[in-house]
Amino acid sequence: VSSRRKIRLPVDSAEVPRYVGIATFMHLPLMEELDAVDIGVFGIPFDLGLAYRPGARFGPSAVREASRLIRRVNPATGVFPFALCQVADVGDVNCHPYDFDGAIAEIEAFVVRLRANGALPLACGGDHVVPAAVLRGLRDLAPLGMVHFDSHPDTLDVFYGKKVTHATAMRLAVEEGILDPARCIQVGLRGSQWDGKDYENSVQLGMNVVSYDRYESIGREAMIAEIRDTVGDGPAYVSFDIDALDPSEAPGTAVPEPGGFSMRDVQVILRSLRGLNIVGADISEVSPPYDPTGITAVNAANLMFEILCLMVEADVTRRR
Ligand code: MN
């Protein structure tokens, strides 16, 4: 796509102060003509999947505002993602505020429409049920590997009797044949458990699980190697539940679990995943009502930029 068209860049904040104008993700152009888009960044203002404290429906607007400070070039990798392919803010999914199943279908349809135009999704949730729907929209690229940052495995069979929740989404995507569990890795898991066997669900599905305790004992380099080894060369998805971060750096979330990743840890980890074939991602569970300083949204916006850099490089590689 981008080789045939002039790429529209984010607003140049050397000319327009970054606090001026309507907030889009990372000052990206807001584009509705999807046939010109390579990577569509969008919001999913939806939190009916939550069982504890709500508010993630306000995540996309808070992350858009917090992303005003993001500049153009990755300081560690030198990647200038916006120049390499057409990245655009493609708006929000108009999720129904009462109809849970309807909203899940709307999210899937939104991603299917991106795919029909040859674009890849980078989603900002919304609660962590959203990957269930985004992954359904990526069926044409399945089976997918996954790098899943979270404090919880999200692989219960049912939660309060329901199959589609933020505690079941990853199992669902395996059962639906969209995720290849042998190429999925979950990192950062911690927190009090239901029955002491919470991670066994993921292991029985065939996923690789790196609890936060194991991360601490093997160290960052070894875990990076394990991620790369598990995911391999095939198409893969990144799901980032913001509660993977320690609550001191991400208090604004539905289910905070102490003792987690620092922002610096995940920056380095993500920057070390260049070369993985990332075809889609979500960053979820930012809950602005519990984020008085706005740091959760700032961190989420920066994680979005890091993941975008990976997606753009992968897109360029595929088009070569
Ligand atoms: Mn989660």
Side-chain angles (χ1 to χ4, degrees), residues 128 148 150 152 154 166 241 243 285:
H128 210 205
H148 174 195
D150 207 323
H152 312 99
D154 300 352
H166 73 151
D241 187 324
D243 72 28
E285 298 275 350

Side-chain angles (χ1 to χ4, degrees), residues 50 128 148-154 166 187-190 212 240-247 250-261 283-286 296 303:
L50 288 173
H128 210 205
H148 174 195
F149 295 83
D150 207 323
S151 59
H152 312 99
D154 300 352
H166 73 151
V187 302
L189 309 194
R190 62 187 189 276
Y212 196 84
F240 202 112
D241 187 324
I242 204 72
D243 72 28
L245 292 182
D246 191 85
T253 194
V255 191
E257 302 286 1
F261 289 117
I283 296 178
S284 299
E285 298 275 350
V286 174
T296 313
L303 289 170

Side-chain angles (χ1 to χ4, degrees), residues 209-228:
V209 174
V210 183
S211 68
Y212 196 84
D213 285 343
R214 187 153 82 83
Y215 168 68
E216 219 171 25
S217 74
I218 67 175
R220 205 157 67 188
E221 292 306 313
M223 193 180 78
I224 290 163
E226 197 164 325
I227 293 172
R228 299 187 71 97

Side-chain angles (χ1 to χ4, degrees), residues 26 47 86 95 104 121 127 163 171 183 206-207 214 237 241 256 267 309:
M26 299 171 275
D47 62 14
Q86 182 63 64
C95 296
I104 294 293
D127 76 75
K163 284 289 279 187
R171 171 187 290 270
R183 291 202 300 115
M207 294 183 178
R214 187 153 82 83
Y237 185 81
D241 187 324
Q267 264 178 342
C309 289

Side-chain angles (χ1 to χ4, degrees), residues 240 242 245 263 266 270 283 299-307:
F240 202 112
I242 204 72
L245 292 182
M263 183 63 187
V266 292
L270 286 169
I283 296 178
N299 283 336
N302 280 274
L303 289 170
M304 193 172 234
F305 179 75
E306 295 294 340
I307 294 168

